[in-house]
Amino acid sequence: MHIIQFNDGPFSIVIIRDHSHQVRMHSAFTRCHALAAYTVSVLAGLTFVCFVTTAFRDYSANADINTVTVLVRNVPDYSASREKNDMGFMIFDLKADLRPLFNWNVKQLFLYLTAEYETPSNKLNQVVIWDKIIQRGENAVLDHKNIRPKYYFWDDGNGLRGNKNVTLTLSWNVIPNAGHLPILVAKGNHRFTFPEEYTTTKM
């Protein structure tokens, strides 16, 4: 605050100037911070819209699974112990059209084939024997013949020989650009029986 006084004979003039409310321009850092905050808000809104528009889509599909060859051996499992356990082997066919599962919010599908069975020692056994990743833009029609398992089918005992209730099921994880990751099971599975005798042929 500045005070200026003029004397003119018996009169005096006082002028008061207040500079406390001068307008100051925002710095470059403040402007960049505001722009970044606005950009993040817009992106968050677009991400939410992306999620909402596909949140209630039906990601189910049919699968046709069939076993061609089924064998079982009783061999030492060196990955866990040296005791002999049952190891299953199979050759199977797989058909499924997964094209309807893809939309602009689906980045990829993670498929996995599970063998589920029951033994006297375990009420529920689940073993993943095969998997596959399908990226958006890739061929999503499965028509595979004579597939061999990618992973060993071990039982932690002797529960495979003669087992009459082994079920193969195809499942998948939907990997979105935004949103939750649903896990779904295909409509249609395949049930088969392991032989009563161990095989000695090489798998």
Side-chain angles (χ1 to χ4, degrees):
M1 179 181 296
H2 297 279
I3 301 176
I4 303 174
Q5 183 174 354
F6 298 94
N7 293 319
D8 186 10
F11 301 100
S12 62
I13 301 174
V14 179
I15 301 175
I16 302 176
R17 294 180 179 178
D18 190 355
H19 300 281
S20 60
H21 299 289
Q22 287 183 338
V23 179
R24 297 181 179 178
M25 299 297 292
H26 294 294
S27 65
F29 175 78
T30 304
R31 293 181 179 183
C32 291
H33 184 272
L35 180 60
Y38 176 75
T39 303
V40 170
S41 300
V42 171
L43 291 177
L46 292 176
T47 302
F48 179 74
V49 171
C50 180
F51 160 69
V52 169
T53 55
T54 58
F56 304 102
R57 291 283 301 270
D58 183 12
Y59 291 103
S60 61
N62 297 320
D64 184 14
I65 309 168
N66 183 52
T67 50
V68 179
T69 302
V70 177
L71 302 172
V72 61
R73 297 182 67 186
N74 189 249
V75 293
D77 182 4
Y78 294 105
S79 63
S81 66
R82 294 184 180 274
E83 297 181 0
K84 286 189 174 182
N85 294 325
D86 284 359
M87 183 176 69
F89 177 80
M90 69 206 67
I91 296 176
F92 59 93
D93 299 336
L94 175 60
K95 291 183 179 182
D97 186 359
L98 304 180
R99 290 175 298 180
L101 275 59
F102 280 91
N103 56 63
W104 62 288
N105 191 33
V106 174
K107 183 165 55 177
Q108 65 183 24
L109 298 176
F110 175 69
L111 317 177
Y112 54 97
L113 189 71
T114 305
E116 184 176 313
Y117 62 100
E118 182 179 343
T119 61
S121 57
N122 294 301
K123 185 69 176 178
L124 176 64
N125 301 270
Q126 290 179 317
V127 180
V128 175
I129 61 174
W130 178 87
D131 60 21
K132 180 182 178 66
I133 294 177
I134 302 179
Q135 302 279 355
R136 182 171 58 187
E138 294 180 348
N139 183 19
V141 178
L142 304 179
D143 189 7
H144 300 319
K145 300 287 187 181
N146 299 325
I147 308 176
R148 294 174 175 265
K150 292 177 64 175
Y151 310 106
Y152 290 117
F153 187 174
W154 283 105
D155 180 66
D156 60 350
N158 303 314
L160 295 184
R161 186 182 67 171
N163 196 312
K164 296 179 172 58
N165 192 18
V166 184
T167 303
L168 294 179
T169 303
L170 181 67
S171 306
W172 52 81
N173 291 83
V174 179
I175 313 299
N177 294 308
H180 66 287
L181 282 72
I183 301 176
L184 297 103
V185 179
K187 298 176 182 178
N189 52 38
H190 175 68
R191 184 171 297 177
F192 67 95
T193 300
F194 275 111
E196 295 285 349
E197 300 295 332
Y198 292 121
T199 184
T200 56
T201 60
K202 187 176 181 181
M203 297 180 181

